[in-house]
Amino acid sequence: MQQNKKCLVTGAAGFIGSHLARRLLREGCPVIGIDSFTDYYDRAIKEKNINDLKHNPLFRLITGDIVDIENMGAECEGVQWIFHQAAQAGVRASWGDEFTHYIHHNVLGTQRLLEWARRSKPERFIYASSSSVYGDTGKLPMHEDDLPAPHSPYGVTKLAAEHLCNLYHRNFNLPTVSLRYFTVYGPGQRPDMAFHRFIRAINDNEELTIYGTGEQTRDFTFVDDIVAANLAAAQAEKAEGRVYNIGGGSRISVNGVLNILRGLAGQDIKVRYEPVQAGDPPHTYADTSRAARELGFSPQSSLEDGLGIMFNSFK
Ligand code: NAD
Ligand code: UGA
């Protein structure tokens, strides 16, 4: 690990951004975090995510919208690694009027950040892309060279921003890397996501909801593996201008997840089935051979271990 790199983490108070910032600080890197504390979920959760970081003298938080990065640029002068995590996340919520937020944060926000970055000339610009760019593909596992065909408006904006990264690389030599994360879980997971909702319902002895039959599958990825992939992407020689799948190697159905949770909870779980949600792809499954070859990435956490850590973090 190259120490003392000055880092910028956008979305630093979010689920993944806060884990990443914590790890960078542990490695001795000064970190500037930017977060606008969008109201997609409770601000108190985000404040809690970064509570410990705020006391670290190497950490500086800027509260603001990346769309206005030009006005914060002076403080961010000289950053060497940019980790762009800020976005309006959430697949199923991206329909209707909500799309305005997705365009603002994901597309315009990324474009403004790229414009600023091309002048500030970082050594790496790493973008948090998403498995949602693939959509309802008939082909598994998903490979980076497959034609993307998002299944949700959210996926469209994540793909648009990925294309923006690629073209700033091609036109201006900005050293961008896109990491397509596959459904990420771990302590601090967003409250709209499946594992968070399931564990909270179990703890409250309430019914949890499964959309569809529960036979849909995801290549669930533990957050520490996502963080490790970011660090690898910042340092790997071949990574510039490249796109990588980052999956956990733990592809399983939602019903399969419930079986593991039953074991962890030591009790039966009350389940209600509801219709499939628009925008939800039936399956995701990452071919991670490129990330293995070029980033030296291999997921370290099994689903059983990672889910156990997340389950205990709720207590
Ligand atoms: P999150 O909502 O917990 O974190 C995002 C953070 O960005 C939030 O704290 C939010 O306030 C902030 N933010 C949003 N728009 C902003 C803006 N314009 N300016 C400044 N801050 C802004 O989400 P997360 O689950 O941690 O996701 C992080 C990134 O990873 C996102 O880009 C998301 O699309 C991507 N991703 C997540 C997953 C997953 O499973 N969680 C999977 C694939 C990709
Ligand atoms: C997740 C993130 O939320 C997205 O931001 C991200 O871009 C995407 O991963 C990705 O991989 O790119 P999703 O796979 O929908 O999206 O993650 P979960 O919310 O954990 O849902 C997983 C599965 O559980 C889905 O099939 C969903 O329909 C299902 N689910 C979710 C339920 O059955 N019940 C719930 O209460 C919540």
Side-chain angles (χ1 to χ4, degrees), residues 65-126:
D65 188 329
I66 51 164
V67 165
D68 302 321
I69 183 72
E70 289 293 345
N71 301 327
M72 314 164 195
E75 290 194 63
C76 305
E77 213 53 50
V79 294
Q80 291 156 297
W81 290 347
I82 298 176
F83 298 93
H84 177 30
Q85 311 298 307
Q88 174 58 55
V91 175
R92 295 172 289 282
S94 59
W95 302 99
D97 289 345
E98 295 305 309
F99 191 57
T100 312
H101 303 299
Y102 287 79
I103 291 288
H104 176 91
H105 298 293
N106 303 0
V107 183
L108 187 59
T110 302
Q111 187 266 349
R112 292 274 173 87
L113 192 66
L114 287 163
E115 276 296 324
W116 173 79
R118 93 180 158 96
R119 287 190 297 281
S120 71
K121 300 198 186 310
E123 292 169 21
R124 281 287 154 90
F125 181 112
I126 294 144

Side-chain angles (χ1 to χ4, degrees), residues 238-251:
K238 278 188 173 177
E240 290 187 19
R242 303 284 280 165
V243 174
Y244 297 98
N245 286 341
I246 305 298
S250 297
R251 182 179 174 227

Side-chain angles (χ1 to χ4, degrees), residues 89-92 130-132 154 181-183 189-190 192-195 197-198 209-211 216 218 220 254 280:
V91 175
R92 295 172 289 282
S130 157
S131 76
S132 65
Y154 162 76
Y181 305 164
F182 282 66
T183 313
Q189 191 194 44
R190 296 194 328 261
D192 60 311
M193 292 185 68
F195 290 9
R197 288 168 59 107
F198 293 169
T209 305
I210 290 192
Y211 301 127
Q216 68 267 42
R218 290 288 179 277
F220 293 105
V254 171
D280 254 350

Side-chain angles (χ1 to χ4, degrees), residues 15-16 35 41 46 65-66 85 105 154 158 184 190:
F15 162 44
I16 296 170
D35 206 296
Y41 61 90
K46 299 180 189 183
D65 188 329
I66 51 164
Q85 311 298 307
H105 298 293
Y154 162 76
K158 293 303 288 185
V184 188
R190 296 194 328 261

